[in-house]
Amino acid sequence: MSTDTLDNDTADAARETESAEPRSASSDTDSRTLIAVAVALLLAAGAITYGVFASRGEPQPKPVPTAAVSYEVSGSSTVKIDFIALGKQAKSLTLSGSDLPWRKNVKVALGTEPTVRIVLDGKGGDAGCTVAVRGKHVQRSTATGPYGRATCSAPLPDAQNTSSPADENGETP
C-alpha cells in the first residue's frame, strides 16, 4: 500500500468521523426528547387511570339530611344566645352580649333538636325566642327580669323516618 492510499484512507476516515458526530449528537437529542415525552405521557396516563379507579373504589359520603331552621330573639335587653347549627354534626354556638333583635337561619341535621336558649344580663328586661322549622312556627318562649332564661326547641324526625330523599343542599322536604 502506498502512502497516498494510506493518507486517503485516513482522510476518508476522518471525514466520516466528523460527519457522523453531528448526526450522532442530533440523534441523541431527538432520542432523549422522545423518551422524555413518552415518560411524561405514561405518567399522565397513570395519574388519570389512578384517579378513575380510586374514585370508583371508595364510597362517597352521603349528604346529611337537614331541615331549614330559623331562630329569632327579640326584646329590650342584652342577652347571651346559645343555638344549634349544622357542621358535619349538629353543634352548639354561643353569642354573648348580643343586641336585639337577632335572627339566624341555619340547616340542622334531622334527628337532632334545633334549640335556642337565651339568658338576659343582670339588668334584666324582656326577651323572647322563637323557632321555625321549614318556615312553620314551632315554639315561642319569653324571659323576664335579671338573668331571666327562655328556651325554644323543636325535635326533628330521624333521617331514617323520612320518605323523601334530600335535595342537593341536604334539605329534606
Side-chain angles (χ1 to χ4, degrees):
M1 215 182 209
S2 74
T3 333
D4 289 337
T5 307
L6 197 51
D7 287 339
N8 285 341
D9 287 343
T10 304
D12 288 341
R15 268 184 251 127
E16 285 177 15
T17 303
E18 287 173 8
S19 64
E21 285 178 13
R23 284 186 196 148
S24 176
S26 175
S27 295
D28 286 347
T29 303
D30 290 344
S31 297
R32 288 181 187 152
T33 302
L34 287 174
I35 290 171
V37 168
V39 168
L41 288 173
L42 286 173
L43 288 173
I48 291 169
T49 303
Y50 174 77
V52 168
F53 288 114
S55 64
R56 287 185 186 169
E58 297 176 18
Q60 298 298 318
K62 293 181 181 179
V64 175
T66 61
V69 174
S70 295
Y71 299 119
E72 287 188 51
V73 179
S74 59
S76 62
S77 183
T78 302
V79 297
K80 179 178 110 178
I81 302 171
D82 292 316
F83 67 98
I84 293 177
L86 177 69
K88 287 193 175 194
Q89 298 178 358
K91 63 182 178 180
S92 179
L93 301 172
T94 301
L95 304 172
S96 295
S98 296
D99 291 323
L100 301 180
W102 175 86
R103 180 182 176 97
K104 184 75 173 175
N105 297 314
V106 296
K107 301 277 187 192
V108 178
L110 294 182
T112 61
E113 189 167 339
T115 303
V116 61
R117 293 179 190 91
I118 58 173
V119 179
L120 300 172
D121 65 10
K123 295 177 187 174
D126 294 313
C129 62
T130 61
V131 173
V133 177
R134 297 182 181 123
K136 183 178 178 185
H137 175 77
V138 179
Q139 189 176 32
R140 171 172 292 161
S141 185
T142 303
T144 60
Y147 305 104
R149 297 171 183 263
T151 300
C152 295
S153 62
L156 295 176
D158 288 336
Q160 293 82 11
N161 294 340
T162 60
S163 58
S164 303
D167 66 13
E168 64 275 357
N169 296 321
E171 176 75 22
T172 306

